Amino acid sequence: MTIEIKLVTKKPARSQLHVLIVPSDQIDELPESIDRDFLKSRDFKGESGQILFTHSAERPVALLGVGSLENLAHANYRQAGAKLLREVKNFHSMSVDFCGYFNENVDQPNATQAFLEGAFLGAYEFTQLKSKTKKPPLKTIAIIGSGQKIKQAINRAESIAFGVNLARDMVNLPGGDLTPVAFARKASSIAKEKKLTIKILDGAAIKKAKMGGILGVNRGSTQQPRFVQLTYKPAKPSGKHIVLVGKGVTFDAGGLSIKTAQGMSTMKCDMGGAAAVLGAMSTLNAISPSVKVTGLMPLTDNMLGGDATRPGDVLRIKNGKTVEVLNTDAEGRLILADALSVASSMKADAIIDLATLTGACMVALGSQYAGLMGTDSELIQAIENSSKATGEEVWHLPLPKEYRSQLDSDVADVKNIGSNWGGALTAGLFLKEFVSEEIPWAHIDIAGPAFADSPWGEHPKGGTGFGVRLIVNVIENL
Ligand code: BES
Ligand code: ZN
Ligand code: ZN
């Protein structure tokens, strides 16, 4: 759906639907022309996420509840925006009035940003592969307000929603369509459009660079691997540099340690980390943070061809460490090992990786929380703070040194699986082996929230784009 945003100083005469945002304790302040008995009969209390269609004297009105004025937060506006765009099917033009209800947590610019992010995310549909394509209706939303700060908020919401919806699209594309080559091509067009520098290594270059993890996982595939490196350079650099790494397994069949039919059915989502990195990078020129940001995306699928990596094979990762592969379905950590080795050789002030890494993380935290692990309490804290702001939930998990010996191998430096228990943590401990000790590092296991089996929050079924807003927020605040 295409949505055009306007900023207007008073409610436009031609607006078909006028949206009033009302805190629950301010219902009495609504214009006289809104029928109080009707609100009562429909039990409209202005609670967060509540919506009611009614009319005032001259036009249709939607009332959007955001909870009590005192507790107003970004999440309430995001939820209201998502709810509105999901419910409103018949109106192509609307005006939105915040009615001046703000508090110390939210002013009009950030309420506008949160509301519009919610609106864009709530309106998302994946229709690329439907044969009957209706031309998506253009919706116009006129925000009532004025000033440079609100204009900026609108631009930020637009570019952040672009990034999230881009990541969703990529996750929703089937593994047979979004191959590593297709992913790299898309990254290349995004780089051009969003003014980022891009470097793409093909199979031969990956071999030359000795990225044995990617090569080992790719061995069972007829699809070529790719290694994509995107760079954002700030106009006014602070001198800081953040490296993002995203797991890009375009389809995870498990390799010879094959998954079950059911386990495999959603595995097009296994490049959700790389998609989140690409989505986040796509926003940076609009957000213009002062840190330099590099995004690394190792890309391959995990198939079962005749020369696929066998359980027991030993791979040599980019940094020289050897890995005994005892389960080919623990492939994400192998390609991340190469990428984290590359990240560690860059002058980085922080490394953050995002990966749909373990089913164990879903067992621990369910489908809406990401697992957060890392070596630096300040970085962990920064990510937790951003998570509170964006509503993308993370939970800090340990990297217990007591468990490290589970990765000891009889024949190589490490093996790629631990015992049956605590799989999210041993995966984290494995990754840690490939990160330079002096660089603060955080690992976000998004196996649960990257893909939704049923809609939740502002997410439709399918790809959620989880991590895009979180990472952008971290970058802005570091
Ligand atoms: N891509 C999967 C993890 C996953 C599972 C993501 C469910 C999203 C939803 C990963 O590559 C994997 O298969 N991990 C194995 C590791 C095990 C073999 C040590 C797992 O979690 O079972
Ligand atoms: Zn796997
Ligand atoms: Zn995987």
Side-chain angles (χ1 to χ4, degrees), residues 5 52 54 61 79 89 148 165 180 183 190 210 231 244-245 260-261 284 336 369 388 415 460 468 475 477:
I5 310 296
L52 181 70
T54 174
V61 166
Q79 211 178 341
K89 298 280 181 230
Q148 207 46 42
N165 287 341
F183 188 117
I190 294 292
K210 299 198 162 120
T231 315
L244 306 174
V245 175
T260 60
L284 295 181
L336 289 170
Y369 274 69
K388 286 200 186 83
K415 59 184 164 119
V468 172
I475 289 170
N477 292 310

Side-chain angles (χ1 to χ4, degrees), residues 180 201-203 205-207 209-221 223-228 246 248-249 296-302 309 315-318 331-340 342:
L201 305 189
D202 62 10
I206 290 171
K207 201 174 243 174
K210 299 198 162 120
M211 297 185 181
I214 300 174
L215 293 169
V217 175
N218 187 251
R219 220 166 132 163
S221 180
Q223 301 293 330
Q224 282 270 311
R226 287 289 184 269
F227 187 89
V228 172
V249 173
L296 303 178
M297 286 146 270
L299 302 160
T300 177
D301 49 4
N302 186 25
T309 291
L315 307 177
R316 187 181 293 273
I317 303 300
K318 169 86 181 156
E331 83 299 339
R333 61 196 77 183
L334 301 172
I335 70 171
L336 289 170
D338 280 330
L340 290 169
V342 174

Side-chain angles (χ1 to χ4, degrees), residues 247 249 252 270 329 331-332 356:
K247 171 177 171 182
V249 173
D252 184 9
D270 214 19
D329 197 12
E331 83 299 339
T356 47

Side-chain angles (χ1 to χ4, degrees), residues 32 60 72 95 242 376 403:
E32 293 290 317
L72 277 184
S95 45
I242 298 184
D376 183 87
Y403 296 175

Side-chain angles (χ1 to χ4, degrees), residues 220-447:
S221 180
T222 49
Q223 301 293 330
Q224 282 270 311
R226 287 289 184 269
F227 187 89
V228 172
Q229 176 171 337
L230 282 171
T231 315
Y232 159 78
K233 286 206 186 82
K236 291 183 200 123
S238 65
K240 290 240 182 305
H241 181 204
I242 298 184
V243 182
L244 306 174
V245 175
K247 171 177 171 182
V249 173
T250 55
F251 185 76
D252 184 9
L256 290 177
S257 315
I258 190 170
K259 286 186 182 294
T260 60
Q262 209 208 330
M264 214 184 280
S265 63
T266 57
M267 279 303 127
K268 65 176 183 181
C269 80
D270 214 19
M271 30 55 70
V277 169
L278 178 61
M281 300 284 311
S282 78
T283 69
L284 295 181
N285 271 303
I287 306 282
S288 60
S290 59
V291 286
K292 177 181 166 186
V293 185
T294 301
L296 303 178
M297 286 146 270
L299 302 160
T300 177
D301 49 4
N302 186 25
M303 304 296 277
L304 301 83
D307 194 35
T309 291
R310 301 138 188 88
D313 280 356
V314 173
L315 307 177
R316 187 181 293 273
I317 303 300
K318 169 86 181 156
N319 72 350
K321 280 197 186 171
T322 54
V323 181
E324 183 186 12
V325 179
L326 287 175
N327 189 319
T328 62
D329 197 12
E331 83 299 339
R333 61 196 77 183
L334 301 172
I335 70 171
L336 289 170
D338 280 330
L340 290 169
S341 306
V342 174
S344 294
S345 67
M346 294 173 159
K347 271 206 189 103
D349 296 286
I351 299 173
I352 303 173
D353 77 72
L354 292 110
T356 47
L357 204 61
T358 64
C361 196
M362 294 180 78
V363 173
L365 301 176
S367 58
Q368 297 183 11
Y369 274 69
L372 169 64
M373 286 147 262
T375 51
D376 183 87
S377 53
E378 252 178 73
L379 182 59
I380 295 286
Q381 185 70 57
I383 294 171
E384 287 181 321
N385 291 345
S386 291
S387 157
K388 286 200 186 83
T390 69
E392 294 157 288
E393 304 279 9
V394 298
W395 196 257
H396 187 194
L397 300 172
L399 289 172
K401 57 181 181 316
E402 299 84 349
Y403 296 175
R404 167 59 188 79
S405 61
Q406 291 181 29
L407 300 173
D408 289 343
S409 160
D410 295 337
V411 298
D413 297 334
V414 281
K415 59 184 164 119
N416 78 330
I417 49 168
S419 74
N420 281 339
W421 314 112
L425 318 183
T426 45
L429 285 167
F430 179 92
L431 298 181
K432 185 168 174 273
E433 292 294 306
F434 302 90
V435 183
S436 213
E437 261 175 44
E438 65 280 3
I439 306 179
W441 160 71
H443 158 57
I444 309 177
D445 190 333
I446 59 170

